[in-house]
Amino acid sequence: MTTTLTAKTTAISTRTTPVTAKWRSGLLYASVVAVVACCLAPFYWMLVSSLRRTSDIFDTSLVPSPVSFENYRAVFDPAQGFGRALLNSLVVAGVTTVLALVLATFTAYAMARLEFRGKRLILTLVIATSMFPVVSIVVPLLKLFTDVGWINTYQALIVPSMSFALPLAVWNLTTFFRQMPDELEHAAMVDGCTRGQAFRKVIIPLAAPGIFTTAIITFIAAWNEFLIALSMTNKPDMQTAPVAISKFTGATTYETPFGSQMAAGVLVTVPLVVMVLLFQRRIVAGLTAGAAK
Amino acid sequence: MTKTEIPPGVDAGPSREPVTRRRLAGKPARATAGSGRLAALLVSPTLLVLSIVVIYPTLMALKESLYGPKGLDPATGFISDTEPFVALKNYADIFGAAGERFWNAFWNTTFFTVVTVGLETVIGVAMALIMHKAFRGRGFVRAGILIPWAVPTAISGLLWRWIFNSDGVANALIGHQILWTTEGFHAKVAVIVAEVWKTAPFIGLLVLAGLQVIPKEVYEAARLDGARPPRQFWHITLPLVKPALLVAVLFRCMDALRMFDLPYILVGAQKHSVETLSMLAQNEASNVRFGPASAYAVLLFLYVFLIALAFVRLLGADLVGEGAARRRKKAGRRRMEVTA
């Protein structure tokens, strides 16, 4: 049985001559390169534009000549307040990530390991919240925060961000904890650990890579947030980087400062791109854990 | 406690207990009392936070949508501090006075969702098939297609606005002068292009993960039966990848329905041809017209909810993944690594 099968397969696969096979793989790699090029071209354009002089910003050559850092100097002009905006983004995204991770680790552990009533309901609720239109929570929270004088504060940016960061973290960590074998804690508990100790001493260290992956994904989501940051701030000092960049003003009122916007865009994106390049394997595993069942 | 004990093994499905109680307490059913208490302890902080940041604002929005704007009272000439109760007037206006702007935003939102998700699905599946075939340089490809996902939407809005500038590279490439970022159908096209660029690779990634868990033997068998690649695609690949694809499409739909950053930055606020429901609600709220803003937000929420429900009911998207998880547990907890 097995032998005939193998024989048949070889017969079929040898039907394509080496030459066509070569062509085929050539075509395949060409299309792979095309896919990657399509994904990277606009980003490359941002990079190139940021390195042009203001005088030749409308140039459409593929390489900037001469290379100029004028736009980057313009971005850090104190009048733009970009440094402060970066700091705000870092504080908001950082605190959101840490809070979401701490809460989500406990919840995800319970979701993956413990049997209790209403578990399915809670999981559905968590997923439902992650699909929520952010604007329908921003409107009432904006009114509430206006009343209590929270507009232009960090908490007004962090609290609403939990609405998407927490479900994301719970969801990611739950799929991650489910992949870890039960035997680990059982062994620890047989050795005399309580459940809490087993969790702290065995599960957390082993889950560290998953927690780290979740942290990156949550941080990127929080860092990219725009609607909440736009609605909850009106003072330039409290704007996050995406909002600040979108409000950059040029030398004259009628001119959009594309050069400095692109430079600032590069600066905001580069940390994320570096993370993606370093941890792409992990990030993909984290992102696809829910989808590929 | 007068609660009836549920025998072990019975799923805590539809019980007559009030929903809130079950949700908050997470009472033990089949596990030991200790693990139930532990679960309640571990889960309650998350539920508390979600109640504060999601459930409470939703209820507030519902209430707020029944109130009118505070401000100058035409009768007295004084500024009133309280908002007048106007019952369903905000909703009624949608079919009357404020209707035109609402329905425009509604159709824009729907149009963007249908077109972008449609294109993203087709392009994403094509990308996944290409990536699945390529064995070398997979890490490189993965990193490349993750970049659009990692670029903040606000920044990609600016980037595409620059590309679609009247003197920008898009016009230089097509050799035509089109004012992409002004009102009109071309503004819609600009938003769609930018959105598809950002998210098609992401769908591709999810579909690729789905493709990688399909056992090779299935294709081998089909090939032996004489099925050509297109047939293999329709009858094997698509059905097997459907659960992953369905979840990806559902999440993309939900995301597209609440689209805000991209049209807001790429074209601008209050632009008729690209204004979405989120933009409309945000615009009203930022002008301190909380009543109408809430009404729009509530309607968007209902719209999103109905679409999600349709996905789960009609198409059978398995969101929670519990069914799959249980099956997996039975199958000896073996899970294919999708990272290879």
Side-chain angles (χ1 to χ4, degrees):
Chain A
M1 181 69 194
T2 343
T3 38
T4 44
L5 208 128
T6 339
K8 236 179 178 177
T9 338
T10 7
I12 287 171
S13 53
T14 47
R15 206 187 287 157
T16 48
T17 60
V19 181
T20 41
K22 217 173 200 173
W23 265 105
R24 239 184 227 172
S25 77
L27 199 69
L28 180 65
Y29 282 101
S31 41
V32 168
V33 171
V35 166
V36 176
C38 281
C39 293
L40 292 184
F43 183 70
Y44 174 75
W45 195 247
M46 177 155 79
L47 197 66
V48 169
S49 305
S50 72
L51 292 170
R52 284 191 215 282
R53 291 178 309 185
T54 318
S55 49
D56 43 37
I57 187 78
F58 290 114
D59 208 11
T60 45
S61 58
L62 279 177
V63 215
S65 70
V67 171
S68 147
F69 290 94
E70 197 180 303
N71 290 322
Y72 288 88
R73 275 195 295 277
V75 164
F76 284 107
D77 182 344
Q80 303 274 34
F82 183 66
R84 174 72 204 226
L86 271 182
L87 181 75
N88 290 341
S89 270
L90 202 64
V91 170
V92 172
V95 174
T96 304
T97 307
V98 170
L99 283 178
L101 272 189
V102 170
L103 296 180
T105 307
F106 294 128
T107 303
Y109 177 77
M111 291 296 181
R113 282 293 191 269
L114 305 174
E115 285 300 334
F116 56 97
R117 233 168 68 199
K119 191 163 109 173
R120 223 185 130 79
L121 186 78
I122 292 171
L123 213 51
T124 314
L125 182 84
V126 165
I127 295 165
T129 34
S130 73
M131 299 194 296
F132 224 72
V134 181
V135 77
S136 44
I137 67 151
V138 163
V139 174
L141 286 181
L142 179 60
K143 180 167 186 283
L144 180 72
F145 291 168
T146 317
D147 290 347
V148 297
W150 269 21
I151 297 302
N152 293 315
T153 57
Y154 284 130
Q155 62 269 33
L157 297 176
I158 293 166
V159 169
S161 297
M162 293 298 279
S163 70
F164 63 86
L166 187 55
L168 185 68
V170 169
W171 172 239
N172 247 307
L173 283 174
T174 303
T175 40
F176 192 81
F177 279 136
R178 269 188 194 151
Q179 289 170 33
M180 290 172 45
D182 275 338
E183 289 77 24
L184 290 172
E185 302 135 87
H186 291 165
M189 272 144 76
V190 166
D191 286 346
C193 279
T194 61
R195 211 181 240 286
Q197 283 172 327
F199 177 64
R200 215 170 46 240
K201 293 184 178 156
V202 179
I203 298 300
I204 292 284
L206 283 168
I211 295 175
F212 179 69
T213 307
T214 310
I216 294 178
I217 293 172
T218 313
F219 183 84
I220 291 181
W223 180 264
N224 292 359
E225 206 292 320
F226 183 75
L227 175 54
I228 295 169
L230 178 77
S231 305
M232 297 297 174
T233 58
N234 50 34
K235 276 207 304 226
D237 303 8
M238 284 307 293
Q239 280 163 358
T240 61
V243 177
I245 299 170
S246 74
K247 291 192 171 167
F248 272 2
T249 46
T252 61
T253 331
Y254 299 104
E255 175 199 344
T256 317
F258 282 115
S260 42
Q261 281 186 341
M262 291 304 110
V266 170
L267 292 174
V268 167
T269 316
V270 159
L272 309 190
V273 170
V274 170
M275 273 195 222
V276 163
L277 294 180
L278 285 179
F279 306 113
Q280 41 100 358
R281 192 176 283 264
R282 289 252 184 89
I283 294 175
V284 172
L287 288 177
T288 52
K293 281 174 251 181
Chain B
M1 276 258 225
T2 49
K3 212 158 62 63
T4 42
E5 205 60 62
I6 293 177
V10 170
D11 201 78
S15 94
R16 257 167 275 128
E17 225 186 325
V19 172
T20 43
R21 186 133 159 241
R22 261 196 293 157
R23 206 186 269 163
L24 293 174
K27 288 260 160 31
R30 43 193 154 164
T32 59
S35 112
R37 212 174 304 132
L38 182 64
L41 198 70
L42 293 176
V43 173
S44 47
T46 293
L47 291 181
L48 186 70
V49 171
L50 287 182
S51 315
I52 294 171
V53 299
V54 178
I55 297 169
Y56 169 74
T58 309
L59 296 177
M60 281 282 290
L62 267 173
K63 177 179 160 255
E64 191 61 36
S65 68
L66 305 177
Y67 285 81
K70 65 179 166 188
L72 209 62
D73 188 332
T76 58
F78 284 111
I79 309 252
S80 60
D81 280 343
T82 52
E83 296 174 332
F85 181 75
V86 295
L88 294 173
K89 183 176 174 297
N90 290 322
Y91 294 98
D93 280 351
I94 287 165
F95 298 95
E100 204 276 325
R101 199 170 166 208
F102 171 80
W103 287 111
N104 173 57
F106 178 82
W107 289 118
N108 280 344
T109 306
T110 310
F111 179 76
F112 282 143
T113 306
V114 171
V115 175
T116 58
V117 175
L119 285 173
E120 281 159 27
T121 309
V122 173
I123 298 174
V125 169
M127 279 180 167
L129 289 174
I130 291 172
M131 292 184 284
H132 188 52
K133 282 274 164 63
F135 296 103
R136 257 169 300 163
R138 202 170 263 173
F140 165 70
V141 173
R142 240 184 345 218
I145 65 165
L146 271 177
I147 304 258
W149 168 78
V151 175
T153 317
I155 305 299
S156 84
L158 288 169
L159 168 59
W160 284 96
R161 185 165 158 189
W162 168 228
I163 291 174
F164 283 126
N165 189 266
S166 56
D167 298 315
V169 69
N171 280 343
L173 281 178
I174 60 171
H176 243 328
Q177 276 288 327
I178 295 177
L179 297 173
W180 294 98
T181 54
T182 53
E183 290 277 11
F185 185 70
H186 42 258
K188 282 194 177 74
V189 174
V191 171
I192 289 167
V193 170
E195 172 76 3
V196 169
W197 170 74
K198 188 170 166 57
T199 43
F202 186 71
I203 293 215
L205 205 66
L206 295 188
V207 176
L208 178 64
L211 287 178
Q212 287 177 343
V213 293
I214 301 177
K216 293 259 185 310
E217 293 79 19
V218 186
Y219 288 101
E220 215 127 276
R223 208 164 53 195
L224 288 178
D225 289 341
R228 306 285 304 155
R231 231 180 121 81
Q232 288 179 19
F233 175 74
W234 280 112
H235 294 280
I236 300 172
T237 311
L238 267 192
L240 284 177
V241 95
K242 194 184 138 202
L245 187 61
L246 216 52
V247 172
V249 169
L250 168 62
F251 272 79
R252 285 305 316 145
C253 276
M254 302 298 106
D255 230 24
L257 286 172
R258 60 186 174 193
M259 190 190 290
F260 177 85
D261 325 18
L262 204 57
Y264 182 90
I265 293 176
L266 183 55
V267 182
Q270 288 179 284
K271 292 290 169 75
H272 193 263
S273 34
V274 294
E275 187 167 64
T276 62
L277 284 172
S278 280
M279 288 166 79
L280 178 57
Q282 199 273 345
N283 187 251
E284 290 285 290
S286 64
N287 287 315
V288 219
R289 287 192 291 271
F290 288 113
S294 302
Y296 296 137
V298 166
L299 288 173
L300 174 61
F301 170 65
L302 283 178
Y303 191 27
V304 167
F305 179 75
L306 284 177
I307 301 280
L309 204 67
F311 259 92
V312 175
R313 281 283 147 82
L314 299 177
L315 300 168
D318 182 15
L319 266 182
V320 187
E322 278 279 280
R326 257 182 229 139
R327 253 176 281 134
R328 207 160 49 226
K329 238 176 210 172
K330 269 183 198 152
R333 303 191 135 265
R334 282 265 158 223
R335 189 154 196 281
M336 280 239 211
E337 264 303 327
V338 288
T339 50

